[in-house]
Amino acid sequence: MDRLDPYTTHGMPAGAFNPWSYRDEAGVADADLVGYKIEATDGGIGKIDSASHEVGGSYLVVDTGPWIFGKKVMLPAGMVNQVDHDGRKVYVDRSKDQIKAAPEYDETSHSDPAYRDKLGGYYDESYGNVPPGTAR
């Protein structure tokens, strides 16, 4: 499977990023992703602890294990660019450093609109800073 290029629009207007919806091309559908490993652009970050398929509010909570001292991170569904169901891996289009620098997650944050706005905005910035068609 080819990984999707995060610098293309994936059917959205140029520069648009929908953080809380899985991309059709990613191959998520209604699959149960709990237990799948997460791969950033530069390596593994942990396993999916919980996953949501809420319309317009989907996300993954990842247990990072020893990578970030056992903390969990919340990843908006829009970051998923490919799912390998046979290998039980989910690929996201951000680096480990970008994920590590994201707004901190705690168990009560996932439904907080202010946290979601902050997290979605954080990840949206990296899409907005790269003009469509720009080479990596």
Side-chain angles (χ1 to χ4, degrees), residues 76-120:
M79 292 173 49
V80 175
N81 67 6
Q82 178 187 335
V83 177
D84 175 0
H85 294 288
D86 292 334
R88 296 184 50 85
K89 288 186 180 182
V90 173
Y91 295 87
V92 296
D93 59 8
R94 296 299 194 284
S95 70
K96 291 168 125 181
D97 285 343
Q98 286 173 307
I99 293 167
K100 193 172 185 176
E104 191 166 337
Y105 171 76
D106 72 47
E107 303 281 333
T108 62
S109 322
H110 72 278
S111 62
D112 178 16
Y115 174 73
R116 283 177 173 252
D117 287 347
K118 185 176 179 180
L119 186 64

Side-chain angles (χ1 to χ4, degrees), residues 2 55 109 125 132:
D2 293 331
V55 175
S109 322
E125 286 178 15

Side-chain angles (χ1 to χ4, degrees), residues 7-22:
Y7 301 104
T8 60
T9 60
H10 306 294
M12 296 181 284
F17 170 60
N18 183 354
W20 304 109
S21 294
Y22 293 105

Side-chain angles (χ1 to χ4, degrees), residues 1 6 10 15-16 19 23 32-33 50-51 54 56 58 73 87 104 132-133:
M1 272 185 168
H10 306 294
R23 300 175 197 163
D32 180 8
L33 301 176
S50 64
E54 297 171 30
S58 300
V73 294
E104 191 166 337

